[in-house]
Amino acid sequence: MSLLSKLLGGKKPSLTDLVDLIQGKEQSVAPASQRPAARPEPAYTVNVPQGEETPIGRSWGERMPNEPNQYNFPGSYLQYFEDIFNRDFAAYRVIRSENPRSDRTTIYSFYDFDKLVLVVEIMSRRADLQQLRRDCRRNGTPYLRFYHDYEGWWNARSYVVRRIRAALEG
């Protein structure tokens, strides 16, 4: 008896039987006398990341917090921040610009009517830029920086919103 006929319960295989077998449609089971004794299945282990779970409202920790953050957002990190700006700060006009000194940073300027009220810089940890921060300090414009590629920094939504609100109110 061939292997295929064993798989098909002893009947001679046809082309249709082979197609059904490959597609998983054939559900025939060999008679109990032909089946080997069941071996115990190994216990499956779930690989749970070690370390303390990051509390809600805090943006850094060993494990991803159980809240929206840039890593579980269905888009890029810039889309994540722009979603927050559009939803939580819709009263402000937000303008995106690129930093002429580096392609590793994106600048968002928040305006209340025509007045600049906040500058948010989203940048790589590999970018070492200070000029915009110094200019904002000198002009009295609130400035925030968020790193998008720092391991363990999740940029949780509540954290980002809280920091931006505090900067706008302060």
Side-chain angles (χ1 to χ4, degrees):
M1 185 179 271
S2 73
L3 177 62
L4 286 176
S5 62
K6 286 180 183 177
L7 287 172
L8 296 171
K11 68 179 185 176
K12 185 174 180 177
S14 69
L15 186 56
T16 304
D17 294 332
L18 289 174
V19 171
D20 288 345
L21 181 66
I22 291 169
Q23 292 178 344
K25 294 178 182 175
E26 184 65 41
Q27 297 293 327
S28 66
V29 179
S33 62
Q34 294 180 354
R35 279 185 270 156
R39 287 187 229 142
E41 290 289 322
Y44 291 100
T45 58
V46 177
N47 187 9
V48 177
Q50 298 299 313
E52 174 188 321
E53 183 172 336
T54 301
I56 291 181
R58 192 176 85 190
S59 191
W60 64 94
E62 295 176 16
R63 289 178 35 202
M64 185 183 300
N66 189 19
E67 70 172 304
N69 63 72
Q70 80 177 46
Y71 294 99
N72 62 16
F73 183 77
S76 70
Y77 67 89
L78 290 178
Q79 290 170 331
Y80 169 72
F81 282 99
E82 289 171 3
D83 182 66
I84 292 173
F85 302 157
N86 291 330
R87 289 176 189 258
D88 293 83
F89 302 98
Y92 297 91
R93 184 170 49 101
V94 180
I95 297 177
R96 174 182 170 174
S97 60
E98 303 303 319
N99 191 322
R101 292 188 167 95
S102 174
D103 61 349
R104 295 181 176 171
T105 181
T106 303
I107 302 164
Y108 292 92
S109 301
F110 286 63
Y111 289 88
D112 187 9
F113 296 104
D114 289 335
K115 182 181 180 197
L116 178 64
V117 294
L118 175 66
V119 173
V120 174
E121 192 169 31
I122 312 296
M123 65 189 309
S124 167
R125 64 186 172 92
R126 294 181 303 273
D128 186 25
L129 301 173
Q130 303 296 326
Q131 186 64 45
L132 180 61
R133 177 187 276 177
R134 280 190 229 116
D135 290 347
C136 287
R137 187 178 304 133
R138 191 175 21 245
N139 297 333
T141 304
Y143 169 89
L144 292 176
R145 174 180 284 185
F146 294 97
Y147 293 100
H148 66 82
D149 61 350
Y150 224 101
E151 186 176 338
W153 286 77
W154 307 103
N155 287 319
R157 187 176 193 97
S158 62
Y159 171 79
V160 173
V161 168
R162 186 176 63 247
R163 282 191 66 202
I164 292 173
R165 279 201 179 118
L168 288 169
E169 293 169 358

